[in-house]
């Protein structure tokens, strides 16, 4: 149902201006008879090409309708309207040739089925091009993958054209101002029909965008691409930060390196995630002292987030690199000892207990550590 909002797209900005302008041009061409035929052909050609351009923009996740440009109306750049017209024309002629042998009833059914497949043909042209739109298996795949959205497209298209017909029949007779001999109902009729056509393409584009995962479609603008771009930018910033920290640490400026880390984390919207990334990168260095210090900051956060398994794994890894490693706070050390004990990892628990009294001055923690040491000796 999220695709319903795309029905309003042709009523905004460039699309609305184009509908009004092209409506007047078409009616002026109709008043000109044969002299107006070239104008009518040009306007219709541009309008149908604009429909596909609108579909592409909506399918790519762009909310604003496009402005008509030379690239859109250039036949070399946009041939899908002619392709769609050719498919419909060939299908109509072919079914007409079968009428003498099958009868009018079966031919009518075939044409109705073909009409129901038109949105799928347009979707395939947007996804894979003209040739694939001739593949009946590909058309059925589209319908099967998003059956509910496809039914919604058909229902809304039928409703839009029915509403256009009803509204036109209710319009009163009137003449346009400025002595232009074009009846007002004709203007509104063309405006409504043009809107219904563009709304149909916007709706199809909306389905392509909203159901992109099921259809295997990758639009230019989507939450996934935005997240991927943000992740690349974030990775680039992390790489620059790591290079700076590594240079300071290798040069012996340990205090500067840590202040750089603290400054970065204080300004980060996700300091916990950034801290984990820094720890993972520092863990790959030959000198593990910075990784130990980062682990001491990271373990309390993991314990507070109830990620006890991750906290215990980090503690194990740091103890393997340096048996003297301990968390900064006695409470965190006690918690890790209990976790290791409950997990049956008595070796890690004993390593964390080693030197507990010398490192921490908390009498309560010392008493608990003593009790844990007695439990581990059993």
């Amino acid at each position: 149902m999220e695709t319903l909002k795309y029905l309003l797209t042709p009523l905004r900005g460039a699309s609305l201006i184009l509908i009004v302008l092209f409506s007047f041009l078409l009616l002026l061409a109709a008043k000109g008879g044969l002299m107006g035929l070239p104008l009518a052909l040009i306007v219709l050609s541009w309008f149908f090409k604009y429909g596909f351009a609108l579909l592409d923009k909506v399918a790519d996740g762009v909310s604003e309708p496009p402005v008509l440009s030379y690239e859109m109306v250039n036949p070399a750049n946009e041939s899908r309207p002619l392709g769609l017209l050719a498919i419909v024309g060939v299908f109509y002629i072919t079914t007409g040739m079968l009428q003498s042998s099958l009868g009018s009833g079966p031919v009518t059914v075939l044409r109705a089925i073909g009409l129901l497949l038109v949105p799928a043909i347009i979707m395939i042209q947007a996804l894979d091009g003209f040739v694939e739109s001739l593949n009946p298996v590909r058309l059925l795949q589209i319908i099967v993958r998003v059956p509910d959205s496809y039914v919604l497209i058909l229902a809304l298209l039928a409703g839009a054209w029915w509403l256009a017909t009803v509204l036109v029949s209710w319009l009163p007779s009137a003449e346009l101002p400025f002595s232009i001999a074009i009846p007002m109902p004709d203007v509104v009729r063309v405006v409504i029909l043009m809107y219904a056509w563009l709304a149909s393409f916007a709706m199809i584009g909306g389905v392509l965008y909203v159901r992109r995962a099921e259809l295997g479609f990758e639009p230019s603008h989507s939450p996934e691409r935005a997240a991927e771009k943000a992740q690349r930018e974030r990775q680039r910033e992390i790489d620059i930060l790591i290079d700076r920290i590594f240079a300071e640490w290798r040069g012996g400026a340990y205090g500067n390196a840590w202040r750089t880390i603290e400054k970065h984390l204080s300004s980060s919207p996700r300091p916990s995630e950034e801290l984990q990334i820094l720890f993972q990168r520092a863990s790959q260095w030959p000198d593990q002292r910075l990784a130990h210090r980062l682990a001491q900051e990271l373990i309390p956060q993991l314990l507070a987030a109830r990620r006890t398994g991750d906290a215990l794994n980090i503690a194990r890894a740091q103890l393997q690199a340096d048996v003297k490693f301990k968390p900064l706070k006695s409470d965190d050390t006690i918690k890790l000892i209990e976790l290791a004990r409950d997990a049956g990892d008595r070796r890690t628990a004993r390593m964390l207990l080693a030197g507990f009294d010398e490192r921490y001055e908390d009498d309560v923690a010392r008493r608990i550590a003593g009790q844990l040491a007695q439990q581990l000796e059993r």
Side-chain angles (χ1 to χ4, degrees):
M1 299 303 292
E2 185 183 349
T3 55
L4 290 174
K5 65 181 181 182
Y6 295 105
L7 293 175
L8 300 177
T9 302
L11 298 178
R12 299 203 308 265
S15 289
L16 183 59
I17 296 174
L18 181 139
I19 289 174
V20 175
L21 177 61
F22 278 18
S23 298
F24 279 101
L25 291 177
L26 278 179
L27 290 172
L28 286 175
K31 287 293 181 179
L34 291 177
M35 296 295 294
L37 183 58
L39 175 61
L41 292 176
I42 292 174
V43 171
L44 287 175
S45 173
W46 288 5
F47 179 72
F48 291 143
K49 291 175 182 177
Y50 182 82
F52 278 93
L54 176 63
L55 184 153
D56 291 338
K57 287 293 184 180
V58 173
D60 271 339
V62 179
S63 58
E64 287 299 318
V67 177
L68 186 67
S69 64
Y70 169 76
E71 291 77 10
M72 295 180 189
V73 300
N74 187 353
N77 294 336
E78 183 56 86
S79 60
R80 286 176 294 178
L82 286 177
L84 180 62
L85 180 62
I87 292 173
V88 174
V90 170
F91 181 79
Y92 184 84
I93 293 173
T94 303
T95 53
M97 295 171 61
L98 296 174
Q99 191 164 357
S100 59
S101 58
L102 298 179
S104 60
V107 168
T108 301
V109 172
L110 286 176
R111 287 177 174 175
I113 294 174
L115 184 63
L116 295 176
L117 291 176
V118 169
I121 294 172
I122 296 173
M123 294 170 75
I124 294 297
Q125 286 187 339
L127 290 172
D128 304 321
F130 173 77
V131 176
E132 280 297 314
S133 66
L134 302 176
N135 186 351
V137 176
R138 189 75 176 96
L139 297 177
L140 292 177
Q141 286 177 346
I142 289 292
I143 298 173
V144 170
R145 288 179 181 178
V146 288
D148 49 347
S149 294
Y150 197 81
V151 171
L152 183 62
I153 289 176
L154 295 176
L156 289 175
L157 296 187
W161 291 100
W162 173 82
L163 182 60
T165 304
V166 171
L167 289 176
V168 167
S169 65
W170 288 348
L171 292 173
S173 298
E175 294 290 330
L176 288 174
F178 311 114
S179 301
I180 300 177
I182 302 175
M184 178 67 76
D186 290 344
V187 176
V188 178
R189 179 183 292 111
V190 177
V191 167
I192 292 175
L193 294 178
M194 281 191 164
Y195 161 75
W197 181 266
L198 293 184
S200 304
F201 277 74
M203 182 70 182
I204 293 172
V207 170
L208 289 175
Y209 178 75
V210 174
R211 307 298 297 275
R212 57 189 176 275
E214 295 92 327
L215 296 172
F217 175 61
E218 294 185 6
S220 301
H221 304 81
S222 67
E224 296 83 7
R225 283 186 176 269
E228 182 181 349
K229 180 180 179 180
Q231 180 62 27
R232 289 197 302 268
E233 185 65 23
R234 180 185 174 196
Q235 187 63 45
R236 187 182 67 84
E237 294 176 356
I238 287 292
D239 290 339
I240 295 174
L241 176 66
I242 288 292
D243 290 342
R244 177 182 174 184
I245 295 171
F246 183 75
E248 292 173 341
W249 191 268
R250 185 176 55 183
Y254 307 127
N256 290 341
W258 188 251
R259 281 189 290 272
T260 299
I261 292 173
E262 290 180 326
K263 181 179 179 181
H264 174 77
L265 294 178
S266 63
S267 61
S268 173
R270 294 174 291 187
S272 180
E273 295 181 18
E274 301 282 355
L275 180 59
Q276 292 182 57
I277 294 174
L278 291 174
F279 167 74
Q280 292 170 359
R281 298 291 291 273
S283 298
Q284 302 171 7
W285 295 358
D287 187 348
Q288 288 290 297
R289 287 178 293 174
L290 181 59
H292 292 336
R293 184 67 184 89
L294 291 168
Q296 289 176 329
E297 294 291 333
L298 181 57
I299 285 175
Q301 296 186 17
L302 294 174
L303 292 174
R306 298 184 178 181
R307 295 174 56 184
T308 55
D310 293 336
L312 185 57
N313 288 333
I314 289 176
R316 287 194 187 106
Q318 300 312 301
L319 287 169
Q320 288 177 1
D322 184 359
V323 295
K324 296 181 179 180
F325 171 79
K326 296 291 187 298
L328 292 177
K329 296 182 179 180
S330 59
D331 293 345
D332 296 331
T333 305
I334 292 295
K335 181 63 176 177
L336 289 174
I337 294 170
E338 292 174 342
L339 289 171
R341 178 202 61 189
D342 296 340
D345 188 358
R346 290 175 172 264
R347 181 175 180 274
T348 299
R350 292 191 182 101
M351 293 175 71
L352 289 169
L353 272 170
F356 191 95
D357 292 344
E358 292 79 11
R359 184 174 180 85
Y360 306 110
E361 299 179 355
D362 187 348
D363 293 336
V364 175
R366 287 181 177 181
R367 185 170 63 255
I368 297 174
Q371 295 172 356
L372 290 171
Q374 293 176 3
Q375 295 175 8
L376 292 171
E377 291 175 358
R378 297 173 186 171

